[in-house]
Structures are given as structure tokens and as C-alpha cells.
Amino acid sequence: MKNKEIQEKRMKGYFIQATKEILKGEGLKAISVRNIADQAGYSYATLYNYFKDINDLVFLCVNDFQEECELFVSDLTNNEPKGITKLKASILAYIKYFVEYPGIFELFYITRGGDFGNKPQIISVISNSLDNACKKDWECCLKHKLIPEADTEKLKAQLRYSIIGLLSLYLNRLTPATYSEFIDRATMLIDSVLGIKPDIRDHLSKNDASTIQNSLISVTIKK
Amino acid sequence: MKNKEIQEKRMKGYFIQATKEILKGEGLKAISVRNIADQAGYSYATLYNYFKDINDLVFLCVNDFQEECELFVSDLTNNEPKGITKLKASILAYIKYFVEYPGIFELFYITRGGDFGNKPQIISVISNSLDNACKKDWECCLKHKLIPEADTEKLKAQLRYSIIGLLSLYLNRLTPATYSEFIDRATMLIDSVLGIKPDIRDHLSKNDASTIQNSLISVTIKK
DNA sequence: TGCATATATTAACACTGTTAATTATATTTG
DNA sequence: CAAATATAATTAACAGTGTTAATATATGCA
């Protein structure tokens, strides 16, 4: 029965779409079985014919949001000069995506969705979320030897963890209290992890896409 | 009326104690007004005579847990040789505290408790949680110039954020999947932030409390 | 069309936080 | 000490939550 599969996929799509809209709009706190079903135009119990529980449904949105996030990042950093500067811009854009959609941050890093053991694919997407959003930039930096290959994994890990922490404190604990202060700290954090000196060149480089800049090698922790 | 104040404080204490027990035991998911009231030996509505809502009550536990955490850290690191080694051990102990009590981690860094604007004291305790748990170690390292003073704030920030992220991924996303792997990553993270080279001395140093070791100065990002 | 199957819906259950009304308990006053 | 009052604790109720079982509706097939 091919029709059945098509219809089932369509139905799932309706619920997933509804869930995504609520998550991006009112956020995770507004997620409920009845809310989602309303938005999808069905009764709340119908949902259980297609998903085993509400977590199952909610976490299916992760893939779509990761795609959207990567688009968001590349859109926001298109004009940046390649190299460390663009890597830094991508990380900042990644941060801004989750500030714009706090519900998606909760979904990715906060909410405990019960039995994760069965969904290694989703866990993998989440764990590699930042790395994938900056994939091209890392490759570029490696290719041009702007970052020692031996350090990349350490740096990626440091960035992955510290940016989750930074966002957690800001979104969950209002620390720091203002957005501009938050962006300042984010910038400082990225700079200090990547070993970028606060420099006037940082402000000029946006309009200077000719050369690849800021080699990291000279300022990295030595082996 | 002095008696009234004493009695009120006592009553609050009963509920706070009950909340702490549940948080340390079954965790935050088991927290409910009726649950807490049961544990305290009162009816659920009685709770509202002493706390404006359940968040108000739950977040009053933060202070106690921070104290307990600092004790936990100093107990676990008493035998470590002072200096970078002890600082590192303290950070690891801090991590272990929250792995032992995931509910307290949720309370500190995850749960959104509504109107935080009115509780800057609690926010402050949370924001400075790690720094305070390692306060003496930082002071020692600074005093003996094991870490350049100019770098301390950056390093503290990096550690603060990345350890929250590390714990989030492990406790919320089971990444990595095993405890030993997690501890490995935690160790690597601390080492790479503090600039400690993986070294045999790390394993020997536990029984060598004679000297202060591992000066950071020579391996720090240069100014 | 009539029947069988699959799908959608309503009803119900056990929870949640919170408030209002009610009962029980202390305290103060005559 | 007894009665009136104030205070504290309790139960009842409401509007939510996720989930399941029973019922109603629509679909596909002979």
C-alpha cells in the first residue's frame, strides 16, 4: 500500500509543521498535545496514531531546525572575508539564531525528552550542531593552515561547550542582563578561545575580503 | 511579634528541607506542590501561606546547595597538591557534584523559574558558583604567579561556560554515552583551557604534595 | 450497496499549579 | 475560665497537562 505511506507521511508532516510553528513562536512552554493538534487541525488523540508520545514528535523537529540554522548562519556571514574572521562571524551568527528562537535552544540543549537511547541520529545532529554550522569555515581554516590541525578538535570542543553554557546563562538566567553585554561576552569568549587579539583590524576586516587573515598558529598554546 | 517570625521561619524551613530532599533524591521532575507538602507533613495549600509560588520555594534551595557543593569540592580535593593541580581537581570535583545530583544542576542552570528579575542574589550565586567553589585555588595560583593575572578573568569565563555546556550535553543528551568517557572529556577540556599538557606527572602528582607545580605562564596565549 | 478495516474523536483518568471557601486551631479579650 | 476574634491549615474546585480506552466516522473492497 503506497497510498497509506504517503498519507501517513503527510499527516506526520502536518503535526511536525504545527509543532515547529509553536516552537518558533510562543516557545516550548506553549507546546502541548492539544495546542499542536489545534494548530494542525485535528483532535489531540489523533496525534497518538502517528507519534508514540509528544517527545517523539517534538524531537523530530530537530533536523529541520538544524538545516534552518545552517542557512541562517551562511546568510548572515556571506559577506565576511574567509578565514578566521568568517569562522568567528559564523559562530556569532549561530549564537544569534538561538537568541532569536529560545524555544529551539531549549529543544536542542535543555529539554529532557525521556528515552534518548533510541534516537542516536537526533543526538548526533545536536552534538555536532555548531561544528556543522561552521563546517566550511573550519575546512577553509585548515586548508590554508590558519589553525594547526592538531588543535582543531580541542578548539571545536571548547567552543561547542562554552557556547552552550553562554547561551544557557543568558537565556535561562538573564546573565548578563542586556543583549549588548551578552554579545560583548560572546565576542570576547570566541576571541579568547580562538586566540584572537582585540584589534582594530577586527572592525575593518568586514570590508576587506581580499586576503585571508589572522593566522592562529603564532598564538596557540604550544604543544 | 518575635514568636511569629520564628515560627514562620521554622515553617519555611520545613518546606525548604522537604524540597531539598526531593531534589537530591528523585530530582526536579518529582517536584510538585503536593509532593513537597507531603514530605513536609502539611497540606499542599499550606505551602502558599509561606511562599508565593513553587518557584519561589525551589530557588530558595540554591544557597544551601552552593554551600554544600563548596564543601563537597574541598572535601574531595583536600589531599591534592596546591596550585594548578588542585585547581584542576576542584573543577573536576565541581563537575562530579552535579553528576551526582543532576536535579541540582537543573535547578542551577536549566530550569526557568519565571520572574528572576526579583532575585538578583540567587542569580549572582549561580553565576559565580564555579568561581566560588574554586576561589581558594584561584587565589593560590595568582599569589604564586602560576597564572598571569591578566588572563584569569578570561580563563574563569571559559571554564564557567564550557563546564555548563559539558554537563548539559552529558546530563541532558547523554553525550558522551558513558561516565568514564565523560570524565575523559572533562579532563581534556580543563587541560586545554588551562593549557596543561597531557603528562605523566599528572598521574604521579597526587602523591607529591611538596611543590607547587605546572606554572601556566609559559604556555599561555601571549599578549 | 454492505461489510470490514482503518482512522478520527470524545470521554475519562491521573496528574499539575493555584485560588477560594471552609474548617480547625491559637490567641486575645471580657 | 469562657467567648470572641484572628490566624493558620485544610478541603474543594478550576483550568491546565499527557495518555489511554471506548466510541463514532470515514474509507476500501467484494
Side-chain angles (χ1 to χ4, degrees):
Chain A
M1 294 266 160
K2 200 69 175 291
N3 281 346
K4 195 178 169 181
E5 283 176 28
I6 293 175
Q7 288 166 17
E8 190 173 323
K9 201 160 188 176
R10 245 203 288 268
M11 285 295 288
K12 283 196 178 185
Y14 297 152
F15 284 108
I16 292 175
Q17 185 56 32
T19 307
K20 281 163 60 183
E21 283 164 10
I22 297 173
L23 277 172
K24 291 187 70 172
E26 302 114 285
L28 198 107
K29 66 182 178 302
I31 287 286
S32 80
V33 186
R34 285 151 176 94
N35 235 345
I36 294 171
D38 270 4
Q39 184 93 357
Y42 287 92
S43 173
Y44 51 86
T46 307
L47 192 148
Y48 287 91
N49 293 330
Y50 299 93
F51 308 92
K52 82 172 229 287
D53 59 31
I54 195 175
N55 290 316
D56 200 47
L57 165 54
V58 166
F59 280 100
L60 281 176
C61 303
V62 166
N63 290 307
D64 288 8
F65 284 137
Q66 175 64 25
E67 266 185 49
E68 190 186 83
C69 173
E70 291 179 19
L71 270 174
F72 182 93
V73 167
S74 71
D75 279 0
L76 233 72
T77 60
N78 242 344
N79 298 324
E80 298 289 334
K82 284 179 186 169
I84 305 278
T85 303
K86 183 143 184 269
L87 173 60
K88 179 181 162 185
S90 293
I91 299 170
L92 263 174
Y94 181 85
I95 291 172
K96 283 173 183 168
Y97 177 78
F98 288 106
V99 171
E100 190 152 334
Y101 305 111
I104 302 180
F105 180 74
E106 287 188 71
L107 171 61
F108 271 52
Y109 297 110
I110 304 294
T111 311
R112 284 216 232 181
D115 54 349
F116 260 114
N118 302 332
K119 318 213 182 322
Q121 192 269 334
I122 290 172
I123 291 192
S124 163
V125 169
I126 291 175
S127 304
N128 301 307
S129 173
L130 173 61
D131 291 354
N132 284 331
C134 306
K135 198 174 182 186
K136 286 179 184 174
D137 301 314
W138 280 109
E139 285 168 357
C140 171
C141 287
L142 275 177
K143 190 178 160 195
H144 294 86
K145 300 190 198 289
L146 299 173
I147 295 177
E149 197 175 342
D151 290 351
T152 51
E153 283 314 309
K154 281 185 185 178
L155 292 177
K156 279 183 183 178
Q158 272 188 54
L159 286 168
R160 175 168 49 239
Y161 295 133
S162 57
I163 275 154
I164 296 173
L166 184 82
L167 279 165
S168 288
L169 276 185
Y170 178 59
L171 296 175
N172 297 342
R173 296 288 170 268
L174 301 178
T175 309
T178 67
Y179 178 72
S180 66
E181 231 182 313
F182 166 72
I183 291 294
D184 282 352
R185 287 208 199 182
T187 309
M188 281 171 50
L189 179 70
I190 301 171
D191 284 351
S192 97
V193 172
L194 290 181
I196 299 172
K197 295 181 279 187
D199 194 323
I200 290 178
R201 247 191 311 161
D202 266 30
H203 303 288
L204 298 178
S205 57
K206 282 174 189 171
N207 301 321
D208 175 20
S210 56
T211 56
I212 293 170
Q213 307 171 347
N214 297 342
S215 169
L216 254 190
I217 295 175
S218 65
V219 289
T220 313
I221 295 161
K222 62 183 178 189
K223 287 214 68 178
Chain B
M1 291 267 163
K2 199 68 175 294
N3 282 346
K4 196 177 168 180
E5 284 176 29
I6 293 175
Q7 288 164 17
E8 189 174 323
K9 201 161 188 175
R10 245 202 286 268
M11 285 295 287
K12 284 196 177 187
Y14 296 152
F15 284 109
I16 291 175
Q17 185 56 31
T19 307
K20 281 164 60 184
E21 284 164 9
I22 296 174
L23 277 172
K24 292 188 69 172
E26 302 116 285
L28 198 107
K29 67 183 177 303
I31 287 286
S32 79
V33 185
R34 283 150 176 97
N35 238 343
I36 295 170
D38 270 4
Q39 184 92 359
Y42 287 92
S43 173
Y44 50 86
T46 308
L47 192 148
Y48 288 91
N49 291 332
Y50 299 94
F51 307 93
K52 83 171 228 286
D53 58 31
I54 194 175
N55 290 315
D56 200 47
L57 165 55
V58 166
F59 280 100
L60 280 176
C61 303
V62 167
N63 289 308
D64 289 6
F65 284 137
Q66 175 64 26
E67 264 185 51
E68 190 186 82
C69 173
E70 291 178 20
L71 269 175
F72 182 93
V73 167
S74 72
D75 279 0
L76 232 70
T77 60
N78 241 344
N79 297 325
E80 298 290 332
K82 284 180 187 169
I84 303 277
T85 303
K86 183 142 185 269
L87 173 60
K88 180 183 161 184
S90 293
I91 299 170
L92 263 174
Y94 181 84
I95 291 172
K96 284 172 183 169
Y97 177 78
F98 288 106
V99 171
E100 190 153 335
Y101 306 111
I104 302 180
F105 180 75
E106 287 189 71
L107 171 62
F108 270 53
Y109 296 111
I110 303 293
T111 311
R112 285 215 231 180
D115 53 349
F116 260 114
N118 301 332
K119 318 213 181 323
Q121 192 269 334
I122 289 172
I123 291 192
S124 163
V125 169
I126 291 176
S127 304
N128 301 308
S129 173
L130 174 61
D131 291 354
N132 283 332
C134 307
K135 199 174 182 185
K136 286 180 184 172
D137 301 314
W138 281 109
E139 285 168 358
C140 170
C141 288
L142 275 177
K143 191 178 160 197
H144 294 87
K145 300 191 197 290
L146 299 174
I147 296 178
E149 197 175 344
D151 290 351
T152 51
E153 284 314 310
K154 281 184 185 179
L155 292 177
K156 279 183 183 177
Q158 273 188 53
L159 286 168
R160 176 167 51 239
Y161 295 133
S162 56
I163 275 154
I164 296 173
L166 183 82
L167 280 165
S168 288
L169 276 185
Y170 179 58
L171 297 175
N172 297 341
R173 295 289 171 267
L174 301 178
T175 308
T178 67
Y179 178 72
S180 66
E181 234 182 311
F182 166 71
I183 292 295
D184 282 351
R185 287 208 198 181
T187 309
M188 280 171 51
L189 179 70
I190 300 171
D191 284 351
S192 97
V193 172
L194 291 182
I196 298 172
K197 295 180 279 186
D199 196 319
I200 289 177
R201 247 191 310 161
D202 267 32
H203 304 287
L204 299 177
S205 58
K206 282 174 187 168
N207 300 321
D208 174 19
S210 56
T211 56
I212 294 171
Q213 308 170 346
N214 296 343
S215 170
L216 254 191
I217 296 176
S218 63
V219 289
T220 313
I221 295 162
K222 62 184 178 188
K223 285 216 68 181

